[in-house]
Amino acid sequence: MAEFMGHIRVPVGRLHMELTNICNFSCEFCPDSRMTRPRGIMPMELAKSILDDVGRTKLCRLVLFHVMGEPTLYPHLTEVVAYASNRGIRTCLTTNGSRLDGKLLDEIIHAGAGQIIISLQTPEEDTFALRGARGVRFEDYAARIVSVVKSFLTGDEKTTLTLSFLSSPLRRLIIPVYREVSIADTSADLKGHLTAWAKRILEGSVSERRYDDVLKQISRTKSYRENLVRLSERVTFQTRILGDWAIHFDVRNVNAHFGYCPAIQDNFGILYNGDYVFCCTDYDGKTTTCNYRDASLREYLSSEMVQGLVREFNRLRVTHPHCKQCLGDRTILNATVRQIGSVAYFKLFRKNATSASAYEMSQGGAS
């Protein structure tokens, strides 16, 4: 039987815990360059306090170390992962992978990370230019990623690895989301990228015999949906649709008045300075109502502001100014489509999506 804290089903799916908002990439499809809040790192004592709270209350199923920033830049990363693991907390690390080497990878795995997501996103040299990775050649980056993945094919640790790709089919629709960024517009493009990476990884590996099966899985992928392709028991390809996360808040939208978002019920975040945010896509702290130092997880989730937001979303009403902007769009037509789409996607499609158990960001764009 489900348990509820007021209007919120607990435990909540994910707590996004931002260890730092500093990043060594500047992806065009990420709002890093538009972020106005200061750069910084989470004090270790604050990180431990939050994890103690999660471990004690069991209010979150998963702690995912990401809102903005590259978590491998956090100086105490392996210590934080181990601290969480020792308290029985399942953790996930999402990273652009550029700093992962054998030593750091071993430390993260042995610290007890449950999952590592490498946001590969751009699968070949031309699209890699979108990452703003100064001084990093694509072939060097790709070789590093392949080395990491192959180590997962031979190891037997419990940590799993997901390689995340983007597709951009919405550019081909009447109402394009992000016409400037093209990664895999068609299913054929996406299948080609996945096949090339499967070949890079599996050729000459202990899992080479799985190549034909992997190709069969890839043949069923579509650019207009989320896909999972299993390379082994511990390694999975995931594809997600590129959204307009990076540019959606650049201008004032036609505000939404109805719609649905699983924010807080599905995930919420704590920024590196301790500020709470309603969801993992609030990169600039616009939904902050209080700080963890002033309100525990239970106090935050039971607060009138949070409970009221969830209550109104359950009634398909949008009340918070930031949420009105988020679920709105440039024109009345686009805003109407977006609001109807939010209900269809979150209430119907995503409930049955094959990747519902994997890390998802409704607006697209991660590390």
Side-chain angles (χ1 to χ4, degrees), residues 14 16 67 245 267-268 278-283 359-361:
R14 303 188 305 273
H16 288 254
V67 175
W245 186 39
N267 72 84
F268 65 102
F278 289 166
C279 68
C280 61
T281 61
D282 181 6
Y283 64 86
Y359 169 47
E360 299 168 8
M361 289 182 65

Side-chain angles (χ1 to χ4, degrees), residues 29 31 121 166 240-246 281 361-366:
F29 44 82
Q121 315 292 42
L166 287 175
R240 297 184 296 107
I241 299 171
L242 173 69
D244 64 348
W245 186 39
T281 61
M361 289 182 65
S362 64
Q363 301 295 323

Side-chain angles (χ1 to χ4, degrees), residues 36-53:
T36 61
R37 58 192 174 95
R39 309 280 175 161
I41 64 171
M42 180 176 285
M44 190 61 187
E45 62 272 18
L46 176 59
K48 288 181 176 180
S49 179
I50 295 169
L51 293 172
D52 284 338
D53 199 347

Side-chain angles (χ1 to χ4, degrees), residues 203-261:
E203 251 187 8
S205 76
V206 296
S207 299
E208 188 170 15
R209 66 188 183 281
R210 292 184 53 87
Y211 187 60
D212 289 342
D213 175 67
V214 170
L215 291 184
K216 289 179 182 177
Q217 294 180 63
I218 291 173
S219 71
R220 296 191 290 269
T221 61
K222 304 293 183 183
S223 64
Y224 53 80
R225 72 183 186 202
E226 296 168 349
N227 303 274
L228 291 179
V229 175
R230 191 172 296 280
L231 274 68
S232 72
E233 289 301 310
R234 300 176 65 217
V235 179
T236 303
F237 286 171
Q238 176 194 27
T239 79
R240 297 184 296 107
I241 299 171
L242 173 69
D244 64 348
W245 186 39
I247 60 174
H248 187 73
F249 298 96
D250 281 359
V251 298
R252 186 167 182 80
N253 287 332
V254 175
N255 278 343
H257 297 286
F258 72 93
Y260 182 77
C261 178

Side-chain angles (χ1 to χ4, degrees), residues 51 79-91 109-113:
L51 293 172
E79 185 180 349
V80 165
V81 173
Y83 195 85
S85 180
N86 290 337
R87 279 146 189 79
I89 301 169
R90 180 169 166 257
T91 58
I109 290 173
H110 291 138

